[in-house]
């Protein structure tokens, strides 16, 4: 999945096919079909039942892609996009904001550990005080029950 999702402002004003939309976002077409099957998308249908995606559909796909990148599960994305009550929408977003902040903190800690290892000149990294300092929280925390 691309790291950045951007809509081309000059994109076609005519409806796009599923293949065109999939290519635009770097997604397999089956992902768009799945999102439709779980109620996230509702593209218009033309002769033969072929899907046609409008500019509004493109913004909805972009919303789903970004929400997936932020770690939201599909049910939460559906609730977020379907919410007509701002309070309900904010509840979904706050819950996922806390989860994303926790993941970001864990990633920051992991990055700090890697950088400590890269900056260590000790022969045995396990004896490096700076490196050990990044592991102290794991070593010194109390054992959880059942361990």
């Amino acid at each position: 999945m691309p790291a950045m999702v951007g809509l081309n402002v000059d994109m076609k004003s005519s409806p796009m096919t599923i293949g065109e939309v999939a290519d635009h976002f770097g997604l397999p077409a089956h992902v768009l079909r799945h999102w439709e099957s779980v109620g996230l998308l509702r593209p218009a249908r033309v002769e033969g039942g072929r899907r046609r995606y409008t500019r509004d559909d493109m913004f909805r796909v972009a919303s789903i892609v970004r929400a997936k990148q932020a770690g939201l599960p599909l049910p939460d994305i559906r609730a977020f996009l379907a919410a007509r009550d701002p309070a309900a929408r904010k509840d979904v977003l706050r819950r996922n904001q806390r989860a994303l902040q926790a993941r970001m903190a864990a990633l920051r800690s992991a990055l700090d550990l890697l950088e400590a290892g890269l900056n260590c000149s000790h022969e045995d990294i396990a004896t490096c005080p700076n490196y050990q300092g990044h592991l102290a929280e794991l070593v010194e925390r109390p054992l959880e029950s059942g361990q």
Side-chain angles (χ1 to χ4, degrees):
M1 190 172 302
M4 295 296 294
V5 173
L7 285 179
N8 179 355
V9 184
D10 298 323
M11 69 176 251
K12 296 188 214 177
S13 59
S14 60
M16 298 174 72
T17 66
I18 191 169
E20 291 170 330
V21 173
D23 287 346
H24 182 83
F25 288 100
L27 299 168
H30 73 85
V31 169
L32 296 172
R33 287 187 202 96
H34 176 67
W35 290 350
E36 184 179 354
S37 75
V38 297
L40 288 170
L41 295 173
R42 290 180 304 270
R45 298 286 182 144
V46 295
E47 69 281 343
R50 291 188 301 262
R51 295 163 180 85
R52 291 295 181 262
Y53 292 82
T54 65
R55 184 169 172 80
D56 287 344
D57 292 321
M58 296 290 285
F59 276 99
R60 190 160 178 102
V61 171
S63 293
I64 297 166
V65 168
R66 281 293 164 95
K68 289 291 297 165
Q69 288 172 344
L72 276 73
L74 292 180
D76 282 358
I77 296 171
R78 185 175 46 250
F80 159 68
L81 292 174
R84 297 293 168 237
D85 174 29
R89 182 175 50 246
K90 287 178 182 181
D91 285 345
V92 172
L93 294 177
R94 279 190 190 99
R95 182 175 61 250
N96 283 280
Q97 179 186 38
R98 287 188 298 271
L100 182 56
Q101 288 169 335
R103 284 198 317 274
M104 288 173 64
L107 288 171
R108 272 190 224 102
S109 178
L111 184 58
D112 288 347
L113 179 69
L114 295 178
E115 289 172 354
L118 289 169
N119 293 325
C120 176
S121 59
H122 283 74
E123 255 184 59
D124 180 1
I125 195 161
T127 64
C128 174
N130 187 33
Y131 186 79
Q132 285 180 349
H134 288 282
L135 297 171
E137 144 191 348
L138 292 173
V139 172
E140 295 167 4
R141 73 176 180 199
L143 286 177
E144 295 176 14
S145 61
Q147 289 187 348

